Amino acid sequence: MTDKAISPLRRRLIEDMEIRRLSPKTQYQYIRHVKKFADFLGRSADKATAEDVHRYQLWLASSGTSVGTANVSATALRFFFKVTLKRHDPRASPPARCSEPGGGRSAAHRGDEHQA
């Protein structure tokens, strides 16, 4: 990445990713997803609320974004909020995407007892 015209916030995000030795491809994807989120908001991503993240995730789902892309986006935003901003917004996690009863967990994982 080049050092010209990089905001202090982006610089901090890049430094945090380098400290954690994230691969260049992961760094590229995280920066791309945080920028896409900021573009959606129309303002800097560091000003976002949990409700903004929720609206963005709804928008991603309604626009036909694949589950994999939505998960990468959620992971990038979680890193951005928790590591770079040191905030712990609860909505920066991937939405449940399973239609199976019990949220996709087996009876053993739900704590249901086996009935013979």
Side-chain angles (χ1 to χ4, degrees):
M1 305 225 108
T2 177
D3 286 330
K4 71 176 187 174
I6 294 180
S7 73
L9 187 58
R10 182 179 284 207
R11 168 60 40 214
R12 177 60 187 256
L13 174 60
I14 292 167
E15 289 170 354
D16 289 339
M17 291 187 293
E18 288 175 348
I19 288 168
R20 285 156 185 82
R21 302 177 70 173
L22 299 183
S23 76
K25 287 182 181 180
T26 300
Q27 290 184 34
Y28 171 80
Q29 291 299 323
Y30 280 21
I31 290 167
R32 185 173 78 89
H33 283 286
V34 171
K35 181 184 182 324
K36 189 173 178 180
F37 176 59
D39 291 345
F40 170 82
L41 291 175
R43 64 183 188 273
S44 178
D46 67 327
K47 307 293 187 224
T49 65
E51 186 58 31
D52 291 329
V53 175
H54 180 72
R55 284 187 313 107
Y56 181 65
Q57 289 177 325
L58 287 173
W59 177 78
L60 285 175
S62 70
S63 65
T65 301
S66 72
V67 172
T69 299
N71 285 339
V72 172
S73 178
T75 303
L77 293 176
R78 186 181 312 113
F79 183 92
F80 177 70
F81 284 110
K82 288 186 175 185
V83 177
T84 302
L85 297 180
K86 296 177 180 31
R87 287 174 38 190
H88 297 282
D89 292 342
R91 297 281 181 155
S93 59
R97 295 266 183 155
C98 186
S99 60
E100 188 177 313
R105 299 181 323 186
S106 68
H109 287 104
R110 286 192 310 266
D112 297 349
E113 292 184 24
H114 176 72
Q115 295 180 359

